[in-house]
Amino acid sequence: MTFARLVGRRLYSSHRYPHCVPPIPTYLPPGQSASLSPNYSEDNFFTLCNLLRDPVSRAGPSLEYALDRTGIELEPSLLQAVFDHFDSSPKLLHTLFLWAQKKPGFSIPPSLFNGMLNLLGKAREFDSAWLLLLDRINGGKGPELVSSDTFATLLRRYSRAGMTQAAIRTLEYACNLPWIRDSDAAKSLFEILLDSLCKEGHASLANDYLNKQREFNLQWVLAVRVYNIMLNGWLRSRNLKQAERLWLQMKKENVKPSIVTYGTMIEGYCRMRHVESAINLVDDMIKEGVEPNSIVYNPIIDALAEAGRFKEVSKMMERILLCESGPTLSTYNSLVKGYCKAGDLAGASDILKVMISRGFVPTTTTYNYFFRHYSKFGKIEEGMNLYTRMIESGYIPDRLTYHLLLKMLCEEEMLNLAAQVSKEMRSRGCDMDLASSTMLVHLLCKMHRFEEAFEEFVDMLRRGIVPQYLTFRRLNDELQKHRMIKMAHKLSDMMSLVSHSKNLPNTYNVEGETSQHERREAILQKAEAISEVLKTCNNPRKLVKMRTASVNPLSSANQLMEIIRKRANEIINCHDVK
């Protein structure tokens, strides 16, 4: 039976069923049952959660004292559950971690140690991360807690933060440790460094470092995995020329591409909207005797669905149904995403029914595509109905779900409902992150509820989240404008204590009438000057020289600085910027 018949010819319909409701089966996470209970005291869990959520709690000795007073006997599973619940509160969790490791007889498991380093790296608190790391190494517990996974965490976080040289130095430090140097971990960490750099857009730097290492060992034959990493890096950087050059180099060095290699190239082609090239490469791999699977077909199906080419999607689905592995959850999610993007919720719901009938349980990610559509078009009723039905069916919405709901409610200025959703978000284990808190602060400012906006801002700082400078300027200006001077001064004092950038994002760049007028006048003056020169000058070289030397570098720089200063002042003084 063809895929088109499976979905009952409604595959090609558009907006035929505008009020279609996506089906939601009863959901239980894999390997769990309704009777499964946590292996720690829930009373202790809620005690710690309430303490960390208390606005009075501050990271440091005062929180440690409050933790001592609880008298809780710690268990690794209890601590892990709290970390999962408050993963957007690095400062509070850091204090909790330090307090826990001081407890007599309590041993920090490696997964929790690496998780703490990951949170500190996410908050760019690398100094604190290294203090923990060096304390473990100097304490003689290196191989037990400080494993290759520990350094892999730092490599990824440094790369994500754009601190590429720090990432390289971390690798070189790790490879000098005996329990890493004398094992296969050094090779694994080298590949993780390359992969991390490539995934964050530093493919050129990764390539340079790879070539530098090869100079020390001219006999080094690169494994196919290294080629896969670098191919992915060049393709992520949208440098198709370098990727194709590396592809030819593989063949020249007789390195046989694996199915992952083909999948990487095909995904890269699809990402750059060269779907036809991807399909041709599938035909080439079949000729080479490599059987395609879902890894190969999924990017093509995703790209075709994203472009709304559903007839071609149907043909590709018929090919994947013939594979031994068949479609995966990712395959169906791509189809749901494509139909939701096209506004065909009926088609997306049909796909849900097909995947459920084939034994696939939709995940929260699957339903987030519906929430994206609802958020984009302000369909509050549909979004809240879907949210309610998910909760009733046993689904636990993730942070993206709540982010989309809050975005939709904030844009429609439904503050009370947004506050209720944010409260439920916290109670269901999703701590408010930077994006969610920022939206809430801006909405509270817009609704002139400045004291609540101030409290939310303070809570962000308390949990170790540094608010955007734009958010600070918006709230500070509103407080001063409404003569809440004492609160404004307190806000400025708190913000001055944390490291933050004073750059304003380009998306909020609103030019005033004055700057537009000045630019227009400057263009007219320059045009008039060039017109006068053209009347008398016949030497092209002289014209070029006059164009480049009309303003000296110092004067040009001063003018540019003045324009930037004026534009920044205009942005700061504009209270209606969202």
Side-chain angles (χ1 to χ4, degrees):
M1 183 180 293
T2 66
F3 181 73
R5 290 180 180 176
L6 275 174
V7 297
R9 295 193 178 275
R10 286 159 67 180
L11 180 66
Y12 311 125
S13 65
S14 179
H15 309 289
R16 186 181 297 181
Y17 304 98
H19 303 293
C20 181
V21 179
I24 304 181
T26 301
Y27 177 76
L28 286 175
Q32 295 191 20
S33 64
S35 60
L36 186 65
S37 59
N39 56 350
Y40 55 81
S41 169
E42 292 191 10
D43 290 339
N44 289 342
F45 174 75
F46 288 117
T47 298
L48 290 178
C49 287
N50 291 334
L51 184 59
L52 295 178
R53 195 179 290 118
D54 190 345
V56 179
S57 297
R58 293 289 185 274
S62 63
L63 179 56
E64 289 193 31
Y65 175 72
L67 288 166
D68 283 331
R69 293 185 62 185
T70 62
I72 291 176
E73 291 294 330
L74 275 180
E75 298 176 19
S77 57
L78 170 61
L79 205 57
Q80 185 65 60
V82 175
F83 265 63
D84 294 340
H85 198 78
F86 289 94
D87 61 350
S88 289
S89 303
K91 283 192 174 181
L92 298 177
L93 291 181
H94 187 211
T95 299
L96 176 62
F97 181 90
L98 295 175
W99 173 76
Q101 70 176 2
K102 295 176 186 175
K103 302 290 286 185
F106 184 77
S107 177
I108 300 289
S111 59
L112 194 60
F113 181 77
N114 295 342
M116 185 71 255
L117 292 190
N118 183 57
L119 287 176
L120 291 172
K122 185 178 179 181
R124 302 199 178 191
E125 297 282 346
F126 291 105
D127 290 346
S128 298
W130 275 101
L131 285 174
L132 291 178
L133 184 62
L134 295 175
D135 180 63
R136 293 288 170 185
I137 294 175
N138 296 333
K141 297 181 181 179
E144 297 176 15
L145 283 181
V146 184
S147 63
S148 60
D149 291 338
T150 306
F151 287 103
T153 299
L154 285 177
L155 292 176
R156 293 188 180 99
R157 280 300 168 191
Y158 270 128
S159 300
R160 179 69 61 87
M163 303 171 68
T164 55
Q165 293 305 315
I168 292 173
R169 289 195 298 269
T170 299
L171 172 69
E172 293 174 349
Y173 172 82
C175 290
N176 284 323
L177 297 173
W179 62 88
I180 290 180
R181 182 184 62 237
D182 301 333
S183 68
D184 293 333
K187 178 182 177 182
S188 175
L189 283 175
F190 176 75
E191 293 177 355
I192 288 172
L193 173 66
L194 294 182
D195 185 57
S196 301
L197 292 174
C198 286
K199 285 180 177 177
E200 301 304 327
H202 306 293
S204 181
L205 176 63
N207 186 65
D208 291 342
Y209 189 67
L210 174 61
N211 291 334
K212 180 181 176 182
Q213 297 304 308
R214 294 191 74 179
E215 290 176 2
F216 296 121
N217 186 1
L218 298 177
Q219 304 302 318
W220 183 18
V221 178
L222 295 183
V224 66
R225 175 172 166 76
V226 176
Y227 279 106
N228 294 344
I229 290 171
M230 291 309 306
L231 280 172
N232 185 47
W234 289 125
L235 291 167
R236 276 178 173 266
S237 301
R238 307 186 75 80
N239 194 329
L240 187 57
K241 184 177 180 181
Q242 285 286 3
E244 291 179 336
R245 185 179 298 171
L246 186 61
W247 177 264
L248 294 175
Q249 181 182 332
M250 282 187 69
K251 293 184 176 181
K252 184 178 179 181
E253 296 184 3
N254 294 321
V255 178
K256 188 176 180 180
S258 66
I259 193 165
V260 176
T261 315
Y262 281 108
T264 300
M265 283 295 294
I266 288 168
E267 184 180 6
Y269 278 128
C270 292
R271 188 183 295 119
M272 287 182 277
R273 300 183 180 180
H274 296 297
V275 185
E276 284 71 23
S277 298
I279 296 174
N280 291 336
L281 191 57
V282 173
D283 296 334
D284 292 342
M285 68 182 290
I286 293 175
K287 293 177 182 177
E288 293 291 330
V290 182
E291 186 67 27
N293 60 10
S294 58
I295 296 176
V296 172
Y297 284 120
N298 281 349
I300 299 176
I301 291 172
D302 185 80
L304 292 172
E306 186 87 7
R309 296 162 61 176
F310 296 113
K311 288 187 177 181
E312 294 168 82
V313 167
S314 178
K315 295 178 181 178
M316 196 58 61
M317 282 297 297
E318 290 175 9
R319 293 178 67 172
I320 198 173
L321 285 168
L322 298 176
C323 294
E324 183 177 350
S325 60
T328 63
L329 178 62
S330 178
T331 312
Y332 290 111
N333 279 347
S334 293
L335 293 174
V336 171
K337 179 178 68 172
Y339 279 109
C340 285
K341 183 179 179 181
D344 187 359
L345 300 191
S349 297
D350 287 339
I351 297 298
L352 278 177
K353 294 173 184 176
V354 171
M355 66 185 290
I356 292 171
S357 69
R358 286 184 162 269
F360 292 95
V361 179
T363 63
T364 304
T365 300
T366 311
Y367 291 105
N368 281 344
Y369 297 124
F370 287 90
F371 284 115
R372 284 186 183 276
H373 176 83
Y374 296 145
S375 178
K376 181 178 180 180
F377 295 100
K379 296 184 176 181
I380 296 175
E381 183 178 354
E382 291 89 339
M384 294 308 299
N385 284 339
L386 178 58
Y387 169 73
T388 302
R389 290 173 56 235
M390 284 180 64
I391 298 295
E392 292 173 348
S393 299
Y395 282 81
I396 300 177
D398 60 15
R399 184 171 284 115
L400 178 58
T401 308
Y402 284 111
H403 178 84
L404 293 169
L405 284 173
L406 286 173
K407 180 176 181 291
M408 177 174 62
L409 295 171
C410 287
E411 288 177 349
E412 298 297 324
E413 299 185 5
M414 301 187 69
L415 179 60
N416 292 331
L417 196 52
Q420 178 184 338
V421 169
S422 66
K423 184 178 179 181
E424 290 188 15
M425 176 181 179
R426 290 185 172 102
S427 67
R428 295 186 181 278
C430 287
D431 202 13
M432 294 281 283
D433 59 0
L434 174 62
S436 302
S437 295
T438 298
M439 284 192 295
L440 201 54
V441 170
H442 281 254
L443 177 61
L444 289 166
C445 285
K446 193 169 185 179
M447 303 297 288
H448 287 204
R449 293 168 65 166
F450 303 117
E451 292 183 357
E452 294 176 57
F454 177 80
E455 291 175 1
E456 183 66 31
F457 192 96
V458 171
D459 190 60
M460 291 170 69
L461 292 171
R462 181 183 69 87
R463 293 185 288 120
I465 300 177
V466 180
Q468 294 178 345
Y469 185 65
L470 176 71
T471 306
F472 162 71
R473 291 302 312 174
R474 172 76 181 274
L475 180 56
N476 186 62
D477 289 348
E478 291 287 4
L479 292 174
Q480 291 187 358
K481 179 180 177 181
H482 291 83
R483 300 187 178 182
M484 305 171 76
I485 306 301
K486 186 177 180 180
M487 198 175 289
H489 286 167
K490 187 176 180 180
L491 186 75
S492 298
D493 291 341
M494 288 188 297
M495 195 66 177
S496 65
L497 296 176
V498 296
S499 177
H500 63 278
S501 171
K502 293 187 177 181
N503 294 331
L504 295 172
N506 292 331
T507 51
Y508 295 97
N509 185 9
V510 180
E511 292 186 340
E513 294 180 359
T514 305
S515 61
Q516 290 180 358
H517 177 72
E518 290 176 352
R519 177 178 294 183
R520 190 182 302 112
E521 289 295 322
I523 293 173
L524 288 174
Q525 290 176 7
K526 187 173 182 179
E528 290 176 0
I530 293 176
S531 177
E532 290 298 322
V533 172
L534 287 173
K535 291 178 181 178
T536 58
C537 181
N538 296 320
N539 189 342
R541 292 186 178 181
K542 187 176 180 180
L543 286 173
V544 173
K545 185 176 180 180
M546 290 182 66
R547 182 182 66 186
T548 55
S550 59
V551 182
N552 65 68
L554 179 60
S555 175
S556 177
N558 289 334
Q559 289 179 16
L560 181 60
M561 289 174 63
E562 185 61 25
I563 292 172
I564 293 173
R565 189 179 296 110
K566 288 181 179 180
R567 185 173 298 172
N569 289 334
E570 292 166 2
I571 296 171
I572 291 171
N573 294 327
C574 180
H575 302 292
D576 294 328
V577 177
K578 294 184 179 179

